[in-house]
Amino acid sequence: EVISFSDADYEGVRLPHDDPMAVTLLVELFTTKRILVDSGSSGDILYKHAFDQLNIPVDHLRPVKTPLVGFAGDMVHPLGSIDLSVVAGTTPRQTQVQMTFLVI
């Protein structure tokens, strides 16, 4: 299906632009705004601050042994990974998927 945006989606955007695309999704039934979409990324990242706001106990995280390496060579060790329910769209054009996030 075609993914399209309405004029309402351009609120606060100065045209023309080449800004990264950011969307709002429902993550574990919490509205999560300003999600950066990067199709070139090898992982789905959830920052610890956002994870804490989901009220999920830290002991639900699965261990991750491999660090993430940025373009500059800097390494970040994830706190763990977790599968979360993500809902995109609105009825009747809505989809729900389970996604694995690395919490950093």
Side-chain angles (χ1 to χ4, degrees), residues 44-98:
D44 297 312
I45 306 297
L46 181 65
Y47 288 101
K48 176 76 165 61
H49 178 73
F51 174 77
D52 290 341
Q53 291 181 347
L54 294 173
N55 295 319
I56 299 171
V58 174
D59 63 0
H60 282 58
L61 293 174
R62 292 185 306 277
V64 173
K65 295 181 181 179
T66 308
L68 298 174
V69 180
F71 289 112
D74 51 325
M75 283 201 270
V76 175
H77 293 276
L79 300 173
S81 70
I82 190 163
D83 295 330
L84 300 175
S85 171
V86 177
V87 177
T90 55
T91 305
R93 293 202 165 129
Q94 185 178 66
T95 187
Q96 180 175 358
V97 295
Q98 287 290 115

Side-chain angles (χ1 to χ4, degrees), residues 5 8-9 21-27 29-37 86-90 93-95:
F5 299 92
D9 296 310
M21 183 171 66
V23 296
T24 298
L25 298 172
L26 214 57
V27 178
L29 300 179
F30 286 87
T31 300
T32 309
K33 298 181 179 181
R34 293 185 295 240
I35 296 173
L36 176 64
V37 177
V86 177
V87 177
T90 55
R93 293 202 165 129
Q94 185 178 66
T95 187

